[in-house]
Amino acid sequence: MSSSSAQQGPAARRAAIAERVLADGSATAAELAERFGVSLMTIHRDLDELARQGIVRKFRGGVTAQPSGVFESNVQYRLKTMRAEKAALAEEAIRLIEPGMAVLLDDSTSTLEIAGRLRLGEITPLTVVTNFLEAINLLSDQRGIHLMALGGDYDPLHASFLGVSCVAAVEQLRVDVCFASTSAVHGGYAYHQEQHIVSVKRAMLDSAARNVLLVDHTKLGRVALHRVCPLTRFDLLLVDDGASPQALRDLDEHKAEYRVCATKGRDDGTGVT
């Protein structure tokens, strides 16, 4: 590590540490101290702060990018995982959108892939409604798209607007299609680990004429703390081709309508919304 890296401020160093851990999956404190040219004591202070923010999860002697319920919610982690699978889901989802539609995107990085494709401007005019700051920033200057940003209490962990006022704003709308993702799918239900996210997702589903769930294969067969809704609440589930035959049979048994999307390249990480 160069001397300039060793001399960088704590915030910049912590951001670099987080990026390294997310890329590698895990790291020991000794490795990080050597890489960043600082003492073990300094590294442990950095890791304590990153763990407090939910960006990494500490274990004896180091940190990991293996998600806990809180870690799984961190938007910076979600942006880096299962990118090929999310791209495959978005490519299929975009085919369901036609000019003139009103489209609702939740605060998942799966639907952010849809926003990235809408930015190309090939489907216009279009109304896009979202509470996700990442999507708002992506589409804010896009001609042909009428962007509606849902307000509420800003949550920096999710980079989205949530809470009672967000739910109230959603309830005033009626859109053509809602694209959403959840943390887990099991036994005929979609799940999410955080209650305040669940209330917003439910309101979004109620506001749409058609609902589409985007789930990468690592979410299938998993559970999280809160039930969002039955899978039959969705008109269509989009899953990538990494889904096992057993997982697809489970969807069949619970009468879920789904479509398998071809993936061009696959990550090895754990899928999160």
Side-chain angles (χ1 to χ4, degrees), residues 40-212:
L40 272 173
M41 184 178 297
T42 296
I43 283 294
H44 278 295
R45 283 199 296 267
D46 290 339
L47 297 181
D48 285 341
E49 176 59 23
L50 292 173
R52 186 191 67 78
Q53 296 175 22
I55 298 174
V56 300
R57 185 157 58 97
K58 289 192 73 175
F59 61 87
R60 185 179 180 87
V63 289
T64 179
Q66 292 299 316
S68 64
V70 174
F71 188 91
E72 200 168 60
S73 302
N74 186 275
V75 68
Q76 294 306 317
Y77 174 76
R78 292 185 286 132
L79 286 169
K80 296 176 183 292
T81 59
M82 308 305 292
R83 286 177 289 189
E85 289 80 358
K86 291 172 186 175
L89 302 180
E91 286 292 340
E92 190 64 33
I94 208 76
R95 299 179 184 180
L96 305 175
I97 302 174
E98 299 176 0
M101 279 187 167
V103 175
L104 177 55
L105 305 178
D106 75 355
D107 62 349
S108 65
T109 53
S110 299
T111 62
L112 185 63
E113 288 285 338
I114 299 175
R117 283 153 180 76
L118 294 179
R119 184 176 169 79
L120 299 176
E122 297 175 355
I123 308 175
T124 58
L126 202 66
T127 295
V128 178
V129 184
T130 185
N131 66 328
F132 195 13
L133 184 59
E134 296 281 345
I136 293 169
N137 290 335
L138 197 61
L139 298 174
S140 61
D141 62 349
Q142 181 57 48
R143 295 181 62 183
I145 291 181
H146 174 212
L147 179 63
M148 296 181 63
L150 295 168
D153 300 314
Y154 181 67
D155 186 328
L157 182 64
H158 302 87
S160 63
F161 298 89
L162 304 167
V164 173
S165 53
C166 183
V167 170
V170 175
E171 290 175 342
Q172 302 304 309
L173 302 174
R174 183 66 175 172
V175 300
D176 294 296
V177 58
C178 171
F179 294 97
S181 187
T182 60
S183 305
V185 169
H186 179 74
Y189 285 88
Y191 292 83
H192 199 277
Q193 67 270 16
E194 293 168 280
Q195 189 173 22
H196 66 300
I197 299 288
V198 169
S199 61
V200 174
K201 287 185 187 290
R202 287 175 177 167
M204 288 179 167
L205 298 180
D206 289 341
S207 74
R210 190 181 190 197
N211 291 303
V212 180

Side-chain angles (χ1 to χ4, degrees), residues 217 220-221 239-253 258 260:
H217 67 277
L220 302 179
V239 299
D240 68 88
D241 55 5
S244 68
Q246 180 180 352
L248 296 180
R249 281 196 300 271
D250 186 67
L251 295 180
D252 288 328
E253 289 173 4
Y258 66 87
V260 178

